[in-house]
Amino acid sequence: MSIQIADAPPGIQGQGFFATSIDKAVGLARANSLWPLPFATSCCGIEFMATMASNYDMARFGSERLSFSPRQADLLMVMGTIAKKMGPVVRQVYLQMAEPRWVIAVGACASSGGIFDTYSVLQGIDKVIPVDVYVPGCPPRPEQIIDGITKIQELVKNEPLRRRNSPEYQALMASYGIK
Amino acid sequence: MANITNEEIIQHIQTDLPGCILSAEESFGMCTIEIPANQVKNLFQFLYAHPQMEFQFLTDLCGIHYPNQVDKELGVVYHIHSLVNNLRLRIKAFVPKANPQIESVSSIFKSANWQERETFDFYGIVFTGHPNLKRILNVDEMTYYPLRKEYPLEDQHRTDKNDSYFGR
């Protein structure tokens, strides 16, 4: 069995030292130790359980520790149909997460309402909170969910350390009425 | 085996509450009667307390909308069960859409409380005398009654779907 170690970010290496930007170093650490908060409401949640279990094992990507408290979570995973009545709950969970935070919408329902084009269902969670990665499928297979997670990892690695101070990010938050 | 027949039930009601039954029919052995909306509480009290009938269990209570039935557009259907007689009875009452008011039976059957709220939520039928008549399943901000046959099924407030992809 071989142990895989994440590649070092680009930097300057010499005898006994390695220099890189703190953005890259922190990004590497964050990306490989994401704590996801599962918000599972229906069948996509079942696929997520398979994703976390031994066959697919999301722990391989550093996400073995699920956080059931939003205050300790880095990544909100919304999986399943979100009824309009559930919308404020999703939003509150998001608000309780500390920065930096990312959101992944797993499945057709969380992304767009899916087949539930009806009066009682929220037509995509991006109506109430900003979303970083959308995973299509009804429900998506565990491979697709892992693909979404690795997309999130790319974002985490490459985002500036203080993205929450950027005017774009603040404008995005303001568009959702989040301070 | 029921100790009392459907005919006897109708007989009892007609004797004690004359004019209460607008129509009666039987399908698959279950009796259905239609009553005026202002008789609901009266009749339920009578059926509950009657020593031979004892209809003391409310199986179901739901609303229905018949858009073409002028002045009787909205209806409430009650299913009650006499446990001692093992006999069920279906009761229908209709109200006009312009003034959809009907008496609450929540003082007789505790289980009617949430079912009447649900019927109010989806059909806008107002149950007078209900202790807490407000929406139960839908969001409080909803401004319409979604199961009335007046609206398209799809959410009318969305902006992101191109109707031409969905054949409408």
Side-chain angles (χ1 to χ4, degrees):
Chain A
M1 196 182 116
S2 67
I3 294 170
Q4 297 229 335
I5 295 174
D7 292 331
I12 299 160
Q13 200 166 6
Q15 193 108 60
F17 77 90
F18 175 76
T20 183
S21 68
I22 192 148
D23 267 19
K24 294 267 169 18
V26 171
L28 181 73
R30 279 178 178 170
N32 294 298
S33 64
L34 283 172
W35 284 16
L37 168 63
F39 195 103
T41 52
S42 45
C43 43
C44 291
I46 305 294
E47 295 298 311
F48 170 75
M49 292 168 206
T51 313
M52 288 306 296
S54 48
N55 268 15
Y56 293 94
D57 197 10
M58 215 163 75
R60 294 178 293 155
F61 305 94
S63 298
E64 63 265 65
R65 202 285 188 181
L66 294 184
S67 172
F68 292 100
S69 161
R71 299 182 200 285
Q72 297 176 322
D74 305 305
L75 170 64
L76 177 61
M77 301 183 73
V78 182
M79 298 164 283
T81 319
I82 302 297
K84 278 184 182 160
K85 213 163 180 177
M86 189 70 97
V89 180
V90 178
R91 191 182 157 90
Q92 189 174 8
V93 166
Y94 179 76
L95 292 178
Q96 287 174 347
M97 288 169 67
E99 289 278 5
R101 54 190 167 181
W102 292 272
V103 178
I104 179 167
V106 175
C109 293
S111 304
S112 71
I115 59 168
F116 300 105
D117 185 1
T118 182
Y119 59 89
S120 57
V121 172
L122 195 66
Q123 301 297 303
I125 57 164
D126 52 9
K127 299 274 180 231
V128 290
I129 54 171
V131 176
D132 293 281
V133 169
Y134 299 86
V135 178
C138 186
R141 283 194 57 84
E143 291 94 327
Q144 289 170 272
I145 300 178
I146 288 176
D147 186 48
I149 296 283
T150 52
K151 292 274 191 300
I152 288 277
Q153 285 185 318
E154 285 307 306
L155 276 179
V156 176
K157 265 182 212 161
N158 296 314
E159 252 173 10
L161 197 55
R162 302 191 64 77
R163 92 168 167 165
R164 64 177 174 275
N165 293 343
S166 69
E168 293 86 4
Y169 190 71
Q170 287 181 342
L172 177 70
M173 287 295 146
S175 74
Y176 283 97
I178 298 170
K179 278 188 184 171
Chain B
M1 203 45 213
N3 303 322
I4 189 164
T5 62
N6 291 336
E7 289 72 28
E8 283 169 334
I9 292 172
I10 292 171
Q11 203 62 54
H12 280 307
I13 298 170
Q14 275 170 340
T15 320
D16 288 53
L17 300 168
C20 188
I21 296 180
L22 298 178
S23 69
E25 58 176 3
E26 192 182 296
S27 64
F28 299 99
M30 184 168 170
C31 182
T32 304
I33 59 173
E34 189 189 327
I35 61 165
N38 58 9
Q39 289 290 321
V40 168
K41 208 167 167 181
N42 231 350
L43 178 69
F44 274 77
Q45 243 147 14
F46 170 70
L47 291 173
Y48 190 99
H50 194 278
Q52 271 100 57
M53 296 192 282
E54 295 183 75
F55 281 99
Q56 297 183 352
F57 184 79
L58 179 71
T59 310
D60 190 25
L61 184 168
C62 64
I64 192 159
H65 185 202
Y66 291 110
N68 298 328
Q69 217 170 263
V70 180
D71 279 343
K72 292 166 82 178
E73 289 95 348
L74 293 168
V76 183
V77 183
Y78 306 86
H79 289 207
I80 53 173
H81 193 169
S82 171
L83 293 165
V84 289
N85 292 311
N86 188 22
L87 192 69
R88 296 170 190 274
L89 179 64
R90 189 187 292 120
I91 297 168
K92 296 180 179 180
F94 291 93
V95 287
K97 206 181 91 184
N99 181 29
Q101 291 210 8
I102 195 162
E103 292 162 320
S104 167
V105 295
S106 56
S107 56
I108 304 166
F109 298 107
K110 286 270 183 276
S111 65
N113 188 314
W114 282 14
Q115 299 186 62
E116 285 180 350
R117 275 177 68 186
E118 186 191 13
T119 308
F120 165 74
D121 192 355
F122 284 97
Y123 294 91
I125 296 167
V126 178
F127 292 87
T128 53
H130 189 284
N132 184 29
L133 196 65
K134 60 177 189 183
R135 288 193 188 270
I136 184 167
L137 289 169
N138 286 302
V139 285
D140 292 331
E141 302 84 58
M142 191 175 261
T143 53
Y144 54 100
Y145 302 109
L147 287 194
R148 282 192 187 176
K149 291 174 184 165
E150 299 170 354
Y151 310 101
L153 180 65
E154 289 88 0
D155 190 346
Q156 295 306 293
H157 301 90
R158 61 180 308 161
T159 48
D160 58 326
K161 268 189 182 171
N162 184 340
D163 277 357
S164 60
Y165 293 141
F166 297 89
R168 49 179 197 242

